[in-house]
Amino acid sequence: MDTIEIIRSNLLSPLVLAFILGVVATLIRSEVEIPESVIKAISVYLLFSIGLNGGVELAGTPISAFLLPALVTIALAIAVPTWCYLILRGLGRFDIPNAAGIAAHYGSVSSVTFVAGISFVERLPEGQNSFEAFIPALAALMEWGIIVALFIGRWRLGATQSQNSELGRVIRDTLTGRSVVLLLGGLLIGVIIGEQGFARIKPLYGDLFRGVLVFFLIEMGMLAGRQLRDFVKVGLFMAVFGTIMPLIHGMIGTSLGLLAGLSPNGAFILGVITASASYIDAPAAVRATFPQANPSIYLTSSLGITLPVNLIIGLPLYYEYARWLGAALGRMEYQ
Amino acid sequence: MDTIEIIRSNLLSPLVLAFILGVVATLIRSEVEIPESVIKAISVYLLFSIGLNGGVELAGTPISAFLLPALVTIALAIAVPTWCYLILRGLGRFDIPNAAGIAAHYGSVSSVTFVAGISFVERLPEGQNSFEAFIPALAALMEWGIIVALFIGRWRLGATQSQNSELGRVIRDTLTGRSVVLLLGGLLIGVIIGEQGFARIKPLYGDLFRGVLVFFLIEMGMLAGRQLRDFVKVGLFMAVFGTIMPLIHGMIGTSLGLLAGLSPNGAFILGVITASASYIDAPAAVRATFPQANPSIYLTSSLGITLPVNLIIGLPLYYEYARWLGAALGRMEYQ
Amino acid sequence: MDTIEIIRSNLLSPLVLAFILGVVATLIRSEVEIPESVIKAISVYLLFSIGLNGGVELAGTPISAFLLPALVTIALAIAVPTWCYLILRGLGRFDIPNAAGIAAHYGSVSSVTFVAGISFVERLPEGQNSFEAFIPALAALMEWGIIVALFIGRWRLGATQSQNSELGRVIRDTLTGRSVVLLLGGLLIGVIIGEQGFARIKPLYGDLFRGVLVFFLIEMGMLAGRQLRDFVKVGLFMAVFGTIMPLIHGMIGTSLGLLAGLSPNGAFILGVITASASYIDAPAAVRATFPQANPSIYLTSSLGITLPVNLIIGLPLYYEYARWLGAALGRMEYQ
Amino acid sequence: MKLTTVRLVTIIAEPVLKDRLIHEIHALGAHGYTISEVHGEGTRGIHASQWQGGNIKIETLVSPEVADHILEAMADHYFPNYAVIAYVTDVQVMRGEKFA
Amino acid sequence: MKLTTVRLVTIIAEPVLKDRLIHEIHALGAHGYTISEVHGEGTRGIHASQWQGGNIKIETLVSPEVADHILEAMADHYFPNYAVIAYVTDVQVMRGEKFA
Amino acid sequence: MKLTTVRLVTIIAEPVLKDRLIHEIHALGAHGYTISEVHGEGTRGIHASQWQGGNIKIETLVSPEVADHILEAMADHYFPNYAVIAYVTDVQVMRGEKFA
Ligand SMILES: Nc1ncnc2c1ncn2[C@@H]1O[C@H](COP(=O)(O)O)[C@@H](O)[C@H]1O
Ligand SMILES: Nc1ncnc2c1ncn2[C@@H]1O[C@H](COP(=O)(O)O)[C@@H](O)[C@H]1O
Ligand SMILES: Nc1ncnc2c1ncn2[C@@H]1O[C@H](COP(=O)(O)O)[C@@H](O)[C@H]1O
Ligand code: NA
Ligand code: NA
Ligand code: NA
């Protein structure tokens, strides 16, 4: 498949089509409603499934194979929010709270984009669809990007405000946040139960995964659609930022992943993680730490711009790039 | 199988038994509770699944095969509410708002009955269980029956009231209503992704369908059970109307479907669509347009009478009729 | 497998690990949240599935095989709350309402523990994992234990209070309670539809069962975790009672089951039912009948102590005991 | 526009009381009520339905006499043993007769 | 601390009216509202959305004049045909200008 | 029947403030609270948790002094940067000491 074909095939995948259905439903003000409680339960399911599946595969992976990718991920979790902050301050002319707030979003992970990236790989033909089993742990590590951004902001603001206690709580909340606990908990359980224990729960955590994700993406599309309406409010700079940054981050993440020894598929997923912008954990953390930052800006750009950009163009792009660079590095053949 | 056998086998199908379990649970005031949010999510799933499955099959169907059935459906969406209105005014002695309101219910589609009809066919032995893939589009067309009934009522009342703007909104709401968007959206996605794309999400949208429907019908039974208690309130005329009309409509829909060239199975489902009385979209639309109409009447008759009549006697009856007429028309052999 | 091995393998089963994940998530105050409405729907699903599966198997079981186990279950539903009451009054020095209230919990059934027991058996190798199909009916019978305990309390208190009407309603509520209706309703439907009717809904009610139970247990773990915090409040006596009583009840239930002619697996499940302490139906019934009893005590001990004890140590213990006693009685070979 | 003053009685209670409270306020003369799901904490701490998600809140518009009767019934039947609070306030309505 | 008295208008209505009521109270001068899901029973008994789970409750803090207009609009447009009630009461707020 | 007048403080806020507000009203002397999930719109428009479904409403019955302290704390800590409103009204309760 060439690049155009990959983009086309992603665009016409059930996942992206369901997302678009959700966007369209919102734009024509249709009343399709998937209740919030079901969506919450589904996102628990998706994260736990990914952890589980990773854990089951993990058996036998030497810890050494994990070290370099983990270090690279930590480096990204420090570097990405930092340079986002600098760009937002320098080019974007945002004040400290807004710059740090937006940086927290782009420095951490959007679960949906991550899950869609995994699903993108699993959809590939047998034999080309494997990736490193410890990937969920990398996603959990990348959540630290939130904390890095908040630290930068607090430091630049000066710690005069009485919100230091708040920051402590935010750090704890990030470390024990839903995605971290479910990804790591699932991973651990997967390791312990192994193939055999997994076999009996695979109908739920394996076979159904992709279908549930499609269902979930209808709602994500509706969410993004609602934010799209606020598009004009964010201004031209953020529109460009929200479109370009994920693409750059995706390439950087992929490149570093390959250099750290990940397979092209694994590096692709690391690229997706890097490119994605959180829209659940980051908003809550930023709201608690920098209430003066304007939520319209960071929500609209991460949900209304970056999420669709990643799902629609980003995934095939990073994937092609990973294959190309992988081939260039002699890691695989690029047809 | 002869007719009695078909009725018996429908009565003893998991679907109908689950429905009856729901009715009984309500009558003995048991506290079985399936929360509303889950039920809402399930109905999104059911409609989307039907659309998807239809779409996947649709590939290769010539558009011409769709034309005549579509015209017949539109004709039914105009004729059924009209003649219901006339009967309700003439024989039932209802005032204009009530007559138009009830007509809107019987002129449109009950998703549950429709879905149960589809499931009725799919349960048949391999080789006898296929039907036209574009059927979901017919169900979406039939939703127009609501608008027809509302127009009739508005016209007879005279447009003096200030609610003309309301009518505009009701039309838009009907056209972009949940069932329409999910059925057509699913259909389109199904066409695009085809067999191959569907394969990976089939565990959810194919294999689970029938089980989920059974679960859903427990709740539908409880709903119908609650309405049954108001049975006496609707009066004898509506009790007869709610029992007889679906049977007549079912036969008419089936007959016209066969004449329009549908297979007996397809004609059967068109019959089911025609016979069914809406209890979600219609009540909301009628409430908004004719608030003076009495909701007890239309809700109790569509939910408490017509829904069970269709599920329990209607389905096997229309099916037998379709087979018999199909054979008479030389479309299939009737054993 | 020897006993240690059985305990180890239960401890490392997905079910128990998911439960522990839930406990840990609560203890580290993580915000994993599975909304209540989804949990309610899942518990309907689990009970209905168990009923269904039992019903499908039931065909052909002679009614006589059911009689003795049913009598034994009724005897247990009378004896267990009675002796609990006596112990709580005599040794525990509780007043009448508290003693009767706690007895109601230990005299009836915890659905989760019951479901986990069934799943424990089904996980065994083919050929060793069958059990009597009428088991769900025994669980429904055991719910009577609630009523027995309430009667004892009412009788000892004297019927002076005006709450006699309340008691009538509590009895009705217990008999038409969710678990009873779903277990028996499912059983009946299963009998009627048989293997063939079940085949098409098996993907939901068979294949997914264990995976869904794992999901459910994450939430149960969080629930138990929250109660654990109140551990100190219940005092030493209740801590010992909540730990020891299930173990004794489990052995008694298992023994009597074997004597009544149940297979070792069936006797094991009867043991689990006897050992388990209700935490849904009993609290509601006790609250309505003996409002003066202290809910902290009965909730913490049944949810925070007895539930984990049963899941973690109880299941493998009763199972080993059933196998050993079964062998001793010549019912099977104990390896 | 003619406004009448009626009493709004608000009851917050554990859910096990739901049916009984509804029955009781009807028996005491209320012609309607509105109920919602809430959570809460008071002096009693944990209660039986805690894990099932909280309390119910019942609001009913009634005449002053009925309000008094409801409060008295609450105090007599529920305050001692149940997690429940109740309070009243005056509100203005049109169609005063609907709530009298 | 300066407290201002404003009017709290509470409307309980069947859900089919949701969008219309929100639109109407905005048009009549309310600057905000809070909405929640409730259940209830009144004199009208069953209504169209009963099976969909109840009513909505809209609360809005407004000036006395706006409160009067909202009540009048309720009486004119909704009381005759819909299951709906409305009541008002005085409350104290800071930032009185936010609700004026 | 002896009724005491106490103050009902109602706070409507974005959900991110939940734990903090509960902690704060306890610290200022409230002995209990009731919380519910609501939606709403005000002058601030969109807020961070909009997509997660709305606001929370906290109601607490307190003495007049505590009510004042709560309002002041709201004004000082939350009004400037958060989507939050607060209002108070008088209500009558039995067992006045429970809320003092
Ligand atoms: N001071 C208060 N303000 C508001 N709600 C309260 C207050 N005290 C108690 N409640 C509510 O009433 C319920 C029962 O209170 P209690 O009986 O004190 O445990 C609590 O769960 C709260 O929902
Ligand atoms: N007296 C009342 N007190 C509280 N809520 C009421 C009262 N009467 C009616 N309601 C509410 O208003 C809705 C419509 O009332 P109605 O128009 O009387 O059927 C009911 O469903 C209740 O939620
Ligand atoms: N005038 C009002 N009446 C009722 N609720 C309001 C009003 N203004 C604001 N609110 C509520 O308070 C929240 C925050 O308001 P704001 O800070 O103005 O955006 C809104 O989302 C509403 O739930
Ligand atoms: Na990122
Ligand atoms: Na119809
Ligand atoms: Na027991």
Side-chain angles (χ1 to χ4, degrees):
Chain A
M1 290 197 275
D2 60 6
T3 311
I4 297 294
E5 175 56 23
I6 289 265
I7 292 186
R8 202 196 62 87
S9 118
N10 181 62
L11 202 62
L12 302 185
S13 74
L15 261 63
V16 172
L17 291 172
F19 183 81
I20 293 174
L21 177 61
V23 173
V24 171
T26 303
L27 295 184
I28 64 174
R29 295 181 181 276
S30 166
E31 48 173 78
V32 175
E33 187 205 345
I34 308 182
E36 200 192 333
S37 59
V38 174
I39 288 298
K40 275 189 181 166
I42 291 182
S43 67
V44 169
Y45 160 84
L46 291 174
L47 291 167
F48 186 59
S49 293
I50 286 190
L52 263 186
N53 278 281
V56 170
E57 304 284 322
L58 201 59
T61 312
I63 205 103
S64 60
F66 171 65
L67 272 183
L68 208 49
L71 284 179
V72 161
T73 305
I74 292 174
L76 284 166
I78 296 173
V80 171
T82 309
W83 96 300
C84 283
Y85 176 83
L86 294 174
I87 292 176
L88 290 158
R89 288 284 287 160
L91 295 181
R93 312 239 145 261
F94 284 103
D95 59 10
I96 296 175
N98 275 295
I102 302 170
H105 287 69
Y106 284 84
S108 56
V109 185
S110 140
S111 316
V112 178
T113 316
F114 168 48
V115 172
I118 298 238
S119 182
F120 185 97
V121 172
E122 285 178 342
R123 180 172 66 98
L124 296 172
E126 205 60 47
Q128 298 171 35
N129 64 358
S130 63
F131 54 90
E132 283 77 4
F134 52 71
I135 287 282
L138 300 186
L141 279 179
M142 192 74 94
E143 291 279 333
W144 279 83
I146 296 180
I147 298 174
V148 172
L150 299 185
F151 259 111
I152 296 175
R154 305 278 311 139
W155 169 51
R156 300 314 301 163
L157 273 183
T160 47
Q161 277 104 324
S162 65
Q163 292 156 329
N164 273 329
S165 63
E166 271 313 302
L167 188 62
R169 206 173 58 191
V170 166
I171 294 181
R172 207 208 57 206
D173 285 356
T174 304
L175 294 187
T176 64
R178 202 181 46 165
S179 10
V180 173
V181 167
L182 289 169
L183 287 174
L184 296 187
L187 207 62
L188 209 68
I189 294 182
V191 169
I192 298 176
I193 63 176
E195 283 287 352
Q196 206 196 339
F198 187 62
R200 304 219 41 165
I201 57 178
K202 190 163 171 299
L204 180 59
Y205 299 105
D207 305 345
L208 284 189
F209 183 80
R210 211 173 144 74
V212 174
L213 181 56
V214 165
F215 195 78
F216 192 66
L217 279 168
I218 300 178
E219 174 69 20
M220 288 301 108
M222 294 197 276
L223 208 57
R226 252 167 276 156
Q227 297 295 336
L228 265 180
R229 295 199 192 133
D230 287 317
F231 198 87
V232 287
K233 283 197 212 152
V234 302
L236 184 65
F237 178 81
M238 275 314 289
V240 173
F241 185 93
T243 311
I244 300 294
M245 292 307 277
L247 304 183
I248 299 178
H249 293 162
M251 308 262 191
I252 295 178
T254 306
S255 309
L256 291 184
L258 280 168
L259 293 176
L262 288 176
S263 69
N265 281 351
F268 157 70
I269 300 178
L270 183 60
V272 171
I273 293 172
T274 318
S276 77
S278 167
Y279 57 88
I280 299 184
D281 299 327
V286 171
R287 200 79 192 104
T289 322
F290 302 121
Q292 60 280 54
N294 181 351
S296 309
I297 299 176
Y298 51 70
L299 272 183
T300 306
S301 75
S302 77
L303 251 179
I305 303 175
T306 303
L307 176 64
V309 163
N310 271 324
L311 287 181
I312 296 176
I313 320 176
L315 292 188
L317 213 70
Y318 315 146
Y319 178 69
E320 270 302 272
Y321 177 74
R323 286 176 72 218
W324 172 83
L325 189 64
L329 295 172
R331 209 69 64 69
M332 64 176 284
E333 259 161 66
Y334 182 71
Q335 303 112 339
Chain B
M1 288 196 277
D2 61 5
T3 310
I4 296 295
E5 174 57 22
I6 290 263
I7 292 185
R8 202 197 61 87
S9 117
N10 181 61
L11 202 62
L12 303 184
S13 74
L15 260 65
V16 172
L17 291 172
F19 184 82
I20 293 174
L21 176 61
V23 173
V24 171
T26 304
L27 296 184
I28 64 175
R29 295 179 181 278
S30 165
E31 48 173 78
V32 176
E33 186 206 347
I34 308 183
E36 201 192 334
S37 58
V38 174
I39 288 298
K40 276 189 181 168
I42 290 182
S43 67
V44 169
Y45 160 83
L46 292 173
L47 291 167
F48 186 60
S49 294
I50 286 191
L52 263 187
N53 279 280
V56 171
E57 303 284 323
L58 201 59
T61 313
I63 203 102
S64 59
F66 172 64
L67 272 184
L68 208 49
L71 284 178
V72 162
T73 305
I74 293 174
L76 284 166
I78 296 173
V80 171
T82 309
W83 97 298
C84 282
Y85 176 83
L86 294 173
I87 291 176
L88 290 159
R89 286 286 286 159
L91 295 181
R93 310 240 146 263
F94 283 103
D95 60 9
I96 296 176
N98 275 296
I102 302 170
H105 287 69
Y106 285 83
S108 56
V109 185
S110 140
S111 315
V112 177
T113 318
F114 168 48
V115 172
I118 298 238
S119 182
F120 185 96
V121 172
E122 284 178 342
R123 180 173 67 98
L124 297 172
E126 205 60 46
Q128 298 170 36
N129 64 359
S130 64
F131 55 90
E132 283 78 3
F134 51 72
I135 287 281
L138 300 185
L141 279 178
M142 192 74 94
E143 291 279 332
W144 279 83
I146 296 180
I147 298 175
V148 172
L150 299 186
F151 259 110
I152 297 175
R154 305 277 312 137
W155 169 51
R156 301 313 302 161
L157 274 182
T160 47
Q161 277 104 323
S162 66
Q163 292 157 329
N164 273 329
S165 63
E166 271 314 302
L167 188 61
R169 207 173 58 191
V170 165
I171 294 181
R172 208 208 57 205
D173 284 356
T174 305
L175 296 187
T176 64
R178 201 181 48 165
S179 8
V180 173
V181 167
L182 289 169
L183 286 175
L184 296 187
L187 207 62
L188 209 68
I189 294 182
V191 169
I192 298 176
I193 62 176
E195 283 287 353
Q196 205 196 341
F198 187 63
R200 306 220 39 167
I201 57 177
K202 190 164 175 294
L204 180 60
Y205 298 105
D207 305 344
L208 284 190
F209 183 81
R210 210 174 147 75
V212 174
L213 181 56
V214 165
F215 195 77
F216 192 67
L217 279 168
I218 299 178
E219 173 69 19
M220 289 300 108
M222 293 198 276
L223 209 56
R226 254 167 275 155
Q227 297 295 336
L228 266 180
R229 294 199 194 133
D230 288 316
F231 199 86
V232 287
K233 284 196 210 152
V234 301
L236 185 64
F237 177 82
M238 275 313 290
V240 173
F241 185 93
T243 312
I244 301 293
M245 292 307 277
L247 303 182
I248 299 179
H249 291 162
M251 308 262 190
I252 295 178
T254 306
S255 309
L256 291 184
L258 279 168
L259 293 176
L262 288 176
S263 69
N265 281 352
F268 157 69
I269 300 178
L270 183 59
V272 172
I273 293 172
T274 318
S276 77
S278 168
Y279 57 87
I280 299 183
D281 298 328
V286 171
R287 201 77 193 105
T289 323
F290 302 121
Q292 60 278 58
N294 181 350
S296 309
I297 299 175
Y298 51 71
L299 271 184
T300 306
S301 77
S302 75
L303 252 180
I305 304 175
T306 303
L307 176 64
V309 164
N310 270 324
L311 286 183
I312 296 175
I313 320 175
L315 291 187
L317 214 70
Y318 314 146
Y319 178 70
E320 270 302 272
Y321 177 72
R323 285 176 72 218
W324 172 83
L325 189 63
L329 294 172
R331 210 69 64 71
M332 64 177 284
E333 258 162 66
Y334 183 72
Q335 301 113 338
Chain C
M1 291 197 277
D2 61 6
T3 311
I4 297 294
E5 174 56 23
I6 290 264
I7 292 185
R8 203 197 61 88
S9 118
N10 180 62
L11 202 62
L12 302 185
S13 75
L15 261 64
V16 172
L17 290 172
F19 183 82
I20 294 174
L21 177 61
V23 173
V24 171
T26 303
L27 296 184
I28 64 174
R29 295 180 180 277
S30 166
E31 49 172 77
V32 175
E33 186 205 346
I34 307 183
E36 200 192 333
S37 59
V38 174
I39 288 299
K40 275 188 182 167
I42 290 181
S43 68
V44 169
Y45 159 84
L46 291 173
L47 291 168
F48 186 59
S49 293
I50 285 191
L52 263 185
N53 279 281
V56 170
E57 304 284 322
L58 201 60
T61 313
I63 205 104
S64 61
F66 172 66
L67 271 185
L68 207 50
L71 284 179
V72 162
T73 306
I74 293 174
L76 285 166
I78 296 173
V80 171
T82 309
W83 96 299
C84 282
Y85 176 83
L86 294 173
I87 292 175
L88 290 158
R89 287 285 286 159
L91 296 181
R93 309 240 146 264
F94 284 103
D95 59 11
I96 296 177
N98 275 297
I102 302 170
H105 287 68
Y106 284 85
S108 56
V109 185
S110 141
S111 315
V112 177
T113 317
F114 169 46
V115 172
I118 297 238
S119 181
F120 185 97
V121 172
E122 285 178 342
R123 180 171 67 98
L124 296 172
E126 205 59 46
Q128 298 171 34
N129 64 0
S130 63
F131 55 90
E132 284 76 4
F134 52 72
I135 287 282
L138 301 186
L141 279 179
M142 191 73 94
E143 291 279 331
W144 279 84
I146 295 179
I147 298 175
V148 172
L150 300 185
F151 259 111
I152 297 175
R154 303 277 312 140
W155 168 52
R156 300 314 300 162
L157 273 183
T160 46
Q161 277 104 324
S162 66
Q163 291 156 329
N164 273 329
S165 63
E166 271 314 301
L167 188 61
R169 207 173 57 191
V170 164
I171 293 181
R172 208 209 54 206
D173 285 355
T174 305
L175 295 187
T176 64
R178 203 180 47 163
S179 9
V180 173
V181 167
L182 288 169
L183 286 175
L184 296 187
L187 207 62
L188 209 68
I189 293 182
V191 169
I192 298 176
I193 63 176
E195 283 286 355
Q196 206 196 340
F198 187 63
R200 305 219 40 166
I201 57 177
K202 190 163 173 298
L204 181 58
Y205 299 105
D207 305 344
L208 284 189
F209 183 81
R210 210 172 146 76
V212 174
L213 181 56
V214 165
F215 196 77
F216 192 67
L217 279 168
I218 299 177
E219 174 69 20
M220 288 302 108
M222 293 196 276
L223 208 57
R226 253 167 277 157
Q227 298 294 337
L228 266 180
R229 295 198 193 132
D230 289 315
F231 198 87
V232 287
K233 285 198 210 150
V234 301
L236 184 64
F237 177 81
M238 275 313 289
V240 173
F241 185 93
T243 312
I244 301 294
M245 292 307 278
L247 302 182
I248 300 178
H249 292 162
M251 308 261 190
I252 295 178
T254 306
S255 309
L256 291 183
L258 280 167
L259 293 177
L262 289 177
S263 69
N265 281 350
F268 157 69
I269 300 178
L270 182 60
V272 171
I273 294 171
T274 318
S276 76
S278 167
Y279 58 88
I280 299 184
D281 298 328
V286 171
R287 201 75 193 106
T289 323
F290 302 121
Q292 59 281 55
N294 181 351
S296 308
I297 299 176
Y298 50 72
L299 271 185
T300 306
S301 76
S302 77
L303 251 179
I305 303 176
T306 303
L307 175 63
V309 163
N310 271 324
L311 287 182
I312 295 176
I313 320 177
L315 292 187
L317 213 70
Y318 315 146
Y319 178 70
E320 269 303 271
Y321 177 73
R323 287 175 72 218
W324 172 82
L325 190 63
L329 294 173
R331 209 69 63 72
M332 64 178 282
E333 259 162 67
Y334 182 71
Q335 301 113 337
Chain D
M1 193 174 58
K2 202 181 133 284
L3 292 184
T4 321
T5 297
V6 299
R7 303 280 269 167
L8 170 64
V9 182
T10 304
I11 302 168
I12 295 166
E14 43 184 307
V16 79
L17 296 180
K18 180 174 164 185
D19 291 344
R20 251 190 291 175
L21 289 175
I22 290 176
H23 185 259
E24 185 132 18
I25 61 173
H26 267 141
L28 293 173
H31 301 315
Y33 65 89
T34 296
I35 197 165
S36 50
E37 286 171 24
V38 298
H39 285 71
E41 244 180 71
T43 49
R44 204 175 302 254
I46 182 177
H47 61 76
S49 313
Q50 190 193 38
W51 77 270
Q52 291 179 299
N55 294 334
I56 53 167
K57 178 190 200 173
I58 299 181
E59 289 167 304
T60 181
L61 294 171
V62 291
S63 67
E65 300 76 50
V66 174
D68 284 355
H69 293 148
I70 292 179
L71 282 191
E72 271 158 22
M74 300 304 300
D76 290 355
H77 305 163
Y78 303 104
F79 282 177
N81 285 319
Y82 292 98
V84 53
I85 65 168
Y87 52 89
V88 275
T89 186
D90 286 340
V91 301
Q92 274 101 53
V93 296
M94 301 176 85
R95 306 182 293 180
E97 67 291 353
K98 187 173 163 71
F99 309 101
Chain E
M1 193 174 59
K2 201 182 133 283
L3 290 183
T4 321
T5 297
V6 299
R7 302 281 269 168
L8 170 64
V9 182
T10 304
I11 302 168
I12 295 166
E14 41 184 310
V16 78
L17 296 180
K18 180 174 164 186
D19 291 344
R20 251 191 289 174
L21 289 175
I22 289 176
H23 186 259
E24 185 132 17
I25 60 173
H26 266 138
L28 293 173
H31 301 317
Y33 64 89
T34 296
I35 196 164
S36 51
E37 286 171 25
V38 298
H39 285 71
E41 243 181 70
T43 50
R44 204 174 302 255
I46 181 179
H47 61 76
S49 314
Q50 189 192 38
W51 77 269
Q52 292 179 297
N55 294 333
I56 52 166
K57 177 190 201 173
I58 298 180
E59 289 167 304
T60 182
L61 295 171
V62 291
S63 66
E65 300 77 49
V66 173
D68 284 355
H69 293 150
I70 292 179
L71 281 191
E72 271 158 23
M74 300 304 301
D76 290 354
H77 304 163
Y78 304 103
F79 281 177
N81 286 317
Y82 292 98
V84 54
I85 64 168
Y87 52 90
V88 275
T89 186
D90 286 340
V91 301
Q92 274 100 54
V93 295
M94 302 176 84
R95 305 184 294 180
E97 68 292 353
K98 187 174 162 72
F99 309 101
Chain F
M1 192 175 57
K2 199 181 134 284
L3 292 182
T4 321
T5 296
V6 299
R7 302 279 270 167
L8 169 64
V9 182
T10 304
I11 302 167
I12 296 166
E14 42 184 309
V16 78
L17 296 181
K18 180 172 164 187
D19 291 344
R20 251 190 290 174
L21 289 175
I22 291 176
H23 185 258
E24 186 132 17
I25 61 173
H26 266 139
L28 294 172
H31 301 317
Y33 65 90
T34 296
I35 196 164
S36 50
E37 285 171 25
V38 298
H39 284 72
E41 243 179 72
T43 50
R44 204 176 302 254
I46 181 178
H47 61 75
S49 314
Q50 189 193 39
W51 78 269
Q52 292 179 297
N55 295 334
I56 52 166
K57 179 189 200 173
I58 299 181
E59 289 167 305
T60 181
L61 295 171
V62 291
S63 66
E65 300 75 50
V66 173
D68 284 354
H69 292 149
I70 293 179
L71 282 191
E72 271 158 22
M74 300 304 300
D76 290 355
H77 304 164
Y78 304 103
F79 282 176
N81 285 317
Y82 291 99
V84 54
I85 64 168
Y87 53 89
V88 275
T89 186
D90 285 341
V91 301
Q92 273 101 55
V93 296
M94 303 177 85
R95 304 183 294 180
E97 67 292 353
K98 187 174 163 72
F99 309 102

